[in-house]
Amino acid sequence: MSLTDAGMKSAMVWPPGLVAACRRWVDVAASMAVAAWFAAAGATRRALAALTVSVGLLPGALALPAEELTWFREGVPTAQARFAVETLSEARQEGLRPEDYQADLFASALRSFSGRPAQDTARARRFDQALSLAMERYLTDLHSGRIDPREIHENFDGASHQRYDARTILRDALARDRLPQAVREAAPRFPLYPALRKALAQYVALEHDPAWRAPLPPLPGRKLEAGQPYAGLAQLAERLVLLGDMPAGVSTADRYAGSLIDGVKSFQRRHGLDPDGVLGPATFEQLQVTPAARAAQIALTMERLRWTPLLQAPRMVVVNIPEFVLRAYDVRPEGGVDLRVEMKVIVGRALNTRTPIFDEEMRFIEFSPYWNIPPSIARAETVPALRRDPGYLHRQDMEFVFPDGRVATDVSESALQAVMQGSARIRQRPGPRNALGDIKFVFPNNDNIYLHHTPAVGLFERARRDFSHGCIRIEDPVALARFVLAPQPDWTLQRIRDAMNKGESRTIALRQPLPVLIAYATVVVRQGNAYFFADLYGHDKLLASALNQQRRPDLLVQ
């Protein structure tokens, strides 16, 4: 039997291990003979191209014909290729980095191919394959983000990375000539994302504005108040106008007054500061932050939206820690949201009792709850307080609870020792002094974090509200209870109020578990205006460091 006959009988079948064996054939003539055998056997052009790569033939030998390339037609880059390269070049508009996709190199290569059919088909093939890989990387980054959130202490499962198949989506988009739509659909659907994209463009446009060429002059004293002179009034006004906090064309006098004070108040509201109009150290520090730094802050928030599960269910409760705000909303099928409840919250202290970032399902509500004081708080705070003042137990409506169910309301050394050793606990009875207030929203989790009311309502008036041991205090518990219990219409407003005021502990199970998300975004957009908040727990710094340490392999080598 001749070699040709054998080849015909095995047409379209690639013998196992043949390509690996071919890698050991270094003689170009022998390689060409093998290629001819494949052609006689009816192998496809793509098999020949794969063999060419495996054997390592001379440049141009057995190159994939131009008509088989994804991004070329008749040797010329397609409109989709031009769109893809333009998309990579404009990656910063999405808070991504063009250099992660070698955008400049692709743009240069595209220019070299334009205007005439590619003569070097091997080079065209390399470009073609690399552009596909670059677009797959871009789509994945745009949809799912560039890191695992657990690397920066944000305990989401990262499942979106697994569900998004960029290769299949890209192949389908090219086949159906809908690449622009595929790119748009890859971006997060949450309404905040396009608003952040617009804000990013605004701050990028200000990066080289002369208003930030030099820092503001030092304040004449510790703070600038109404009626005082200041050498930087003109520069201050210029910045406020460019940032949208002060109308253009307003004349400024030689003293701090009028429209300037109003502009500073607007700026303070947008930066998580007390809007008192006094230009003190905190406000002055925020005014010195450059547009480039704000653009970077916006990009980090856009990155977080890619893997924060804000649309995971038809109804959501979300706490944004840096903003100190809770929102409850309904999710529309197309990804929009209808805000139902918004309120201030108090979160864990930045210094030592930070509220963790995670998501869980709310399953219970406790009316008039007991507060079982966590052992760490009991040992560090409550027991020392009782040693100093045994009457503290009675004044705070507290009691000891032992493993056998016995309850004691008298302070004794044996009871205190039992608490220190973990064989007894201290709890606070329902009532006006209870630290949890009159309601507690339970979403079981490893950190024992929950939402609750508080008798210390005055703290909600503070601009910065990180005062808790980790749990989240809510400003308007009735409004949240009405939202949570909406699927259970027998829980009317009056019934909720009665249960909260009764003073008897009662736990009810939700018929439909409700996702609760503890999130971290230092930029939000309200009515078209960007609001910036301090990096309370340093998570932005961690995220920026993780992104800067990434080393991504090159896709295109010229």
Side-chain angles (χ1 to χ4, degrees):
M1 181 184 297
S2 70
L3 180 62
T4 301
D5 291 338
M8 291 299 291
K9 291 183 178 181
S10 59
M12 300 305 294
V13 178
W14 196 307
L18 182 56
V19 170
C22 287
R23 290 195 179 102
R24 297 191 295 269
W25 299 351
V26 297
D27 182 80
V28 172
S31 300
M32 295 296 291
V34 172
W37 175 77
F38 267 87
T44 67
R45 288 189 177 112
R46 291 199 177 276
L48 289 174
L51 180 64
T52 302
V53 173
S54 299
V55 176
L57 297 178
L58 296 175
L62 290 179
L64 193 66
E67 62 269 18
E68 294 292 330
L69 299 179
T70 300
W71 301 97
F72 288 80
R73 289 295 177 271
E74 298 180 357
V76 176
T78 63
Q80 293 193 113
R82 293 192 296 273
F83 174 82
V85 172
E86 181 180 356
T87 297
L88 300 181
S89 298
E90 296 176 349
R92 196 183 179 196
Q93 295 179 6
E94 304 290 340
L96 301 172
R97 298 180 299 212
E99 57 268 28
D100 284 348
Y101 318 102
Q102 295 179 274
D104 288 346
L105 195 56
F106 276 107
S108 175
L110 183 67
R111 287 192 296 270
S112 72
F113 286 122
S114 299
R116 62 183 186 277
Q119 299 301 312
D120 187 343
T121 53
R123 180 169 171 267
R125 176 170 48 81
R126 290 195 299 271
F127 175 90
D128 193 87
Q129 294 171 342
L131 184 56
S132 292
L133 293 174
M135 283 302 295
E136 289 172 17
R137 177 186 289 180
Y138 175 85
L139 290 171
T140 300
D141 291 350
L142 181 61
H143 181 273
S144 305
R146 292 165 282 176
I147 66 165
D148 184 334
R150 289 168 292 192
E151 295 178 15
I152 56 169
H153 312 301
E154 304 200 9
N155 299 315
F156 308 128
D157 63 9
S160 61
H161 287 269
Q162 302 167 8
R163 289 193 295 267
Y164 190 76
D165 184 353
R167 179 166 298 179
T168 299
I169 288 170
L170 177 63
R171 184 168 57 240
D172 177 73
L174 292 172
R176 298 167 58 191
D177 196 20
R178 60 181 309 274
L179 186 57
Q181 295 93 317
V183 170
R184 286 196 299 271
E185 291 165 1
R189 295 186 302 147
F190 194 69
L192 176 59
Y193 187 86
L196 287 173
R197 186 197 290 120
K198 184 176 179 181
L200 177 63
Q202 293 169 344
Y203 278 83
V204 167
L206 293 175
E207 284 184 343
H208 302 292
D209 194 280
W212 282 270
R213 188 169 296 159
L216 291 172
L219 296 174
R222 180 166 175 78
K223 58 186 177 181
L224 182 67
E225 297 186 270
Q228 292 181 323
Y230 174 46
L233 290 179
Q235 188 181 2
L236 171 62
E238 187 180 10
R239 290 189 183 185
L240 292 174
V241 168
L242 290 168
L243 294 174
D245 294 303
M246 181 174 161
V250 176
S251 60
T252 57
D254 57 353
R255 293 182 180 273
Y256 181 56
S259 297
L260 269 174
I261 293 178
D262 292 339
V264 167
K265 286 181 179 180
S266 173
F267 179 89
Q268 289 170 326
R269 278 190 290 270
R270 291 195 309 104
H271 292 79
L273 303 167
D274 285 319
D276 56 10
V278 176
L279 212 172
T283 302
F284 187 76
E285 180 183 6
Q286 294 302 310
L287 281 164
Q288 298 284 41
V289 176
T290 65
R294 292 301 184 200
Q297 187 177 353
I298 294 170
L300 291 175
T301 300
M302 294 172 76
E303 177 71 14
R304 278 200 170 84
L305 289 184
R306 298 182 177 109
W307 32 256
T308 302
L310 290 159
L311 299 173
Q312 61 177 293
R315 306 173 74 241
M316 298 281 299
V317 173
V318 177
V319 174
N320 185 21
I321 287 177
E323 189 184 7
F324 307 109
V325 167
L326 175 149
R327 294 180 177 89
Y329 53 80
D330 295 329
V331 178
R332 301 187 208 127
E334 77 280 3
V337 301
D338 294 314
L339 183 65
R340 303 303 186 193
V341 176
E342 180 173 330
M343 68 186 69
K344 298 175 183 177
V345 299
I346 294 167
V347 302
R349 289 190 292 264
L351 180 64
N352 54 7
T353 55
R354 298 178 175 182
T355 301
I357 313 298
F358 67 100
D359 62 313
E360 280 292 351
E361 289 187 331
M362 185 187 299
R363 297 181 178 275
F364 308 99
I365 292 180
E366 293 183 27
F367 292 103
S368 299
Y370 281 92
W371 181 36
N372 290 292
I373 301 177
S376 59
I377 298 176
R379 289 192 294 265
E381 300 178 24
T382 314
V383 169
L386 292 173
R387 290 191 193 279
R388 292 190 302 268
D389 178 11
Y392 181 77
L393 188 77
H394 175 71
R395 291 196 305 275
Q396 295 297 318
D397 292 332
M398 293 179 177
E399 58 194 16
F400 295 96
V401 182
F402 296 92
D404 59 3
R406 181 168 52 91
V407 175
T409 57
D410 295 323
V411 177
S412 66
E413 185 59 30
S414 61
L416 295 176
Q417 284 296 330
V419 172
M420 295 299 289
Q421 295 167 4
S423 58
R425 56 190 168 90
I426 301 174
R427 72 181 181 186
Q428 189 175 36
R429 294 184 293 274
R433 296 184 181 87
N434 189 285
L436 305 186
D438 37 27
I439 192 168
K440 171 183 174 183
F441 300 85
V442 183
F443 40 104
N445 57 85
N446 294 332
D447 297 291
N448 197 27
I449 299 299
Y450 43 83
L451 306 172
H452 65 89
H453 194 210
T454 174
V457 294
L459 293 177
F460 289 111
E461 298 307 312
R462 306 276 187 94
R464 175 169 171 167
R465 296 188 292 275
D466 59 321
F467 303 116
S468 84
H469 288 90
C471 287
I472 300 164
R473 307 174 196 172
I474 58 174
E475 180 185 32
D476 190 347
V478 174
L480 182 59
R482 294 187 70 185
F483 176 82
V484 171
L485 292 170
Q488 299 173 226
D490 51 319
W491 277 95
T492 64
L493 173 61
Q494 189 59 49
R495 188 181 180 192
I496 290 171
R497 291 189 185 278
D498 290 345
M500 291 173 64
N501 296 329
K502 194 171 184 179
E504 295 179 6
S505 185
R506 178 184 181 184
T507 299
I508 65 167
L510 302 184
R511 293 175 190 165
Q512 300 176 9
L514 177 64
V516 176
L517 179 69
I518 314 301
Y520 196 94
T522 62
V523 188
V524 301
V525 179
R526 305 173 188 162
Q527 291 79 49
N529 298 311
Y531 284 69
F532 298 89
F533 305 98
D535 187 12
L536 187 68
Y537 294 166
H539 288 344
D540 268 8
K541 185 177 180 180
L542 279 175
L543 177 55
S545 176
L547 292 172
N548 290 334
Q549 290 175 14
Q550 281 189 330
R551 296 293 179 266
R552 312 188 85 173
D554 289 342
L555 302 170
L556 180 63
V557 179
Q558 290 270 85

